[in-house]
Amino acid sequence: MADEPLVLGIETSCDETGIGIVRGTTLLADAVASSVDEHARFGGVVPEVASRAHLEAMVPTVRRALADAGVTMNDIDAIAVTSGPGLAGALLVGVAAAKGYAVALDKPLYGVNHLASHVCVDQLEHGKLPEPCMALLVSGGHSSLLLVPDITADVRPLGSTIDDAAGEAFDKVARVLGLGFPGGPAIDRWAEAGDRKAIAFPRGLTGPRDAPFDFSFSGLKTSVARWVEARERAGESVPIADVAASFQEAVVDVLTRKAIRACKENGVEHLMMGGGVSANSRLRALAQERCDAAGIVLRVPRPGLCTDNGAMVAALGAELVARDRAPSTLSIPADSSMPVTVTQAAS
Ligand code: KG4
Ligand code: ZN
């Protein structure tokens, strides 16, 4: 609908400069410039390198998004930006740019939570998010199960990782296997040719006395490293595809099992998955299988919208506008440890 507000979203919490433009729940542009190649040789994201890359990519990426959407800056009704959580210096570049655009255009500014944005992005593909819904958020920095009665104002964490995030485990295991950075996509590809039952890796926090909705991936990561080391010490070759497939199965088995249980125990009929790890092909397949068996409707955005992007920020900004939430003030900070319960920065 042409009378819905046109929102530009800016995402710079990690190594992707993402600029998205949406009208209501319609995606018009999703331009992403990634500095991932600059970090690959360090085996992880270097904050200072990421911040500089955002600064260089910001204006060209905004221009690309405007051109893709076929609109001009003057058509934009509101600016949304990730105000946290994430890398402080990286966030700062996006927040500063957003404030600059908001002041120059005299348009409202919405500082939004990166994690809530990962959930809200699904609206761009599958229409309005059913509320309440359960969200399994799995990325490089977070692994959480969230009960979402209202994506703009009420997000309740049921559990989260007590050590490594799921994506972090993928990245670390990929390093052990010499598959480069980021590790998730590489493990996903190698696992296709492997046997997921080849090695019985441990399923963390799945005992009867364990917290039902918390996750732990650190023991699994160590177990994979020990297994690979033992092989190498014995002078045997490492079956990379089998290790990748068995490790991946251990992660996605736990994630899906706990997510389904969370839905059932809370009487929630819709499960949403978001964050970079939800791009994983086996996670998507197993989640679908288990949701079908449990009578739960699964919603997962296409892989390109699971990893960090600006469209997700614009999506949450547009939802805040649609629900008449007050804009954020121009003094919002870049909040590197913004809690998931705070969906919008100070209004
Ligand atoms: O959401 P995201 O792009 O950034 C954060 O907010 O952290 O997630 C990045 C994480 C990385 O750890 C990456 O290895 C993982 O998502 N990832 C994957 C896949 N694609 C990205 N993990 C498993 N399988 C994939 N296909
Ligand atoms: Zn993310």
Side-chain angles (χ1 to χ4, degrees):
M1 284 198 315
D3 56 354
E4 285 181 298
L6 192 64
V7 180
L8 180 130
I10 301 178
E11 154 62 32
T12 63
S13 69
C14 193
D15 59 344
E16 260 97 33
T17 312
I19 306 295
I21 299 175
V22 310
R23 189 183 289 286
T25 58
T26 305
L27 176 61
L28 300 181
D30 177 24
V32 177
S34 178
S35 60
V36 68
D37 294 341
E38 293 175 54
H39 306 287
R41 68 194 166 102
F42 300 106
V45 176
V46 182
E48 176 66 19
V49 173
S51 305
R52 282 172 184 273
H54 287 310
L55 200 56
E56 286 167 17
M58 182 60 62
V59 172
T61 312
V62 167
R63 289 200 175 132
R64 187 149 58 88
L66 290 169
D68 289 350
V71 299
T72 69
M73 211 45 167
N74 288 323
D75 298 324
I76 300 292
D77 296 308
I79 306 287
V81 63
T82 303
S83 52
L87 301 171
L91 288 167
L92 211 51
V93 178
V95 169
K99 287 181 182 178
Y101 284 124
V103 170
L105 299 167
D106 194 21
K107 297 294 176 190
L109 172 73
Y110 293 83
V112 304
N113 188 302
H114 180 80
L115 308 174
S117 302
H118 267 305
V119 177
C120 198
V121 70
D122 193 54
Q123 296 207 139
L124 303 178
E125 276 209 315
H126 300 118
K128 285 273 179 192
L129 209 61
E131 290 171 336
C133 75
M134 190 63 63
L136 172 65
L137 187 71
V138 274
S139 70
H142 299 269
S143 301
S144 307
L145 269 167
L146 309 168
L147 177 62
V148 185
D150 178 344
I151 190 56
T152 61
D154 188 2
V155 174
R156 303 177 197 172
L158 300 181
S160 61
T161 181
I162 60 166
D163 41 54
D164 292 348
E168 213 177 333
F170 270 94
D171 294 336
K172 287 178 178 168
V173 165
R175 198 181 309 171
V176 167
L177 295 175
L179 301 182
F181 175 84
I187 290 197
D188 199 345
R189 277 194 304 275
W190 274 91
E192 274 172 37
D195 174 3
R196 45 186 187 252
K197 295 199 179 115
I199 310 149
F201 286 127
R203 269 66 170 158
L205 292 187
T206 50
R209 290 204 189 86
D210 290 328
F213 305 129
D214 279 345
F215 302 104
S216 168
F217 298 110
S218 161
L220 168 62
K221 169 197 70 189
T222 308
S223 166
V224 174
R226 294 291 98 83
W227 194 93
V228 170
E229 278 163 25
R231 274 282 178 134
E232 286 170 343
R233 223 177 303 116
E236 294 168 27
S237 67
V238 175
I240 295 179
D242 284 350
V243 176
S246 300
F247 157 76
Q248 178 174 275
E249 194 66 10
V251 175
V252 307
D253 177 25
V254 175
L255 291 176
T256 51
R257 223 192 291 176
K258 294 198 176 211
I260 302 274
R261 180 168 170 190
C263 289
K264 284 187 178 163
E265 286 191 10
N266 289 278
V268 173
E269 289 166 3
H270 292 85
L271 172 65
M272 187 275 157
M273 295 201 309
V277 178
S278 57
N280 183 269
S281 61
R282 178 62 187 151
L283 175 59
R284 298 167 80 93
L286 190 60
Q288 190 63 63
E289 208 176 283
R290 290 184 171 173
C291 279
D292 288 348
I296 293 164
V297 181
L298 178 67
R299 292 171 58 120
V300 204
R302 71 179 122 95
L305 291 179
C306 289
T307 45
D308 290 347
N309 62 81
M312 65 193 217
V313 180
L316 183 50
E319 194 56 36
L320 286 161
V321 175
R323 296 196 196 187
D324 286 328
R325 305 266 186 250
S328 305
T329 66
L330 278 174
S331 54
I332 54 166
D335 183 355
S336 58
S337 54
M338 191 173 186
V340 68
T341 47
V342 180
T343 49
Q344 184 192 352
S347 56

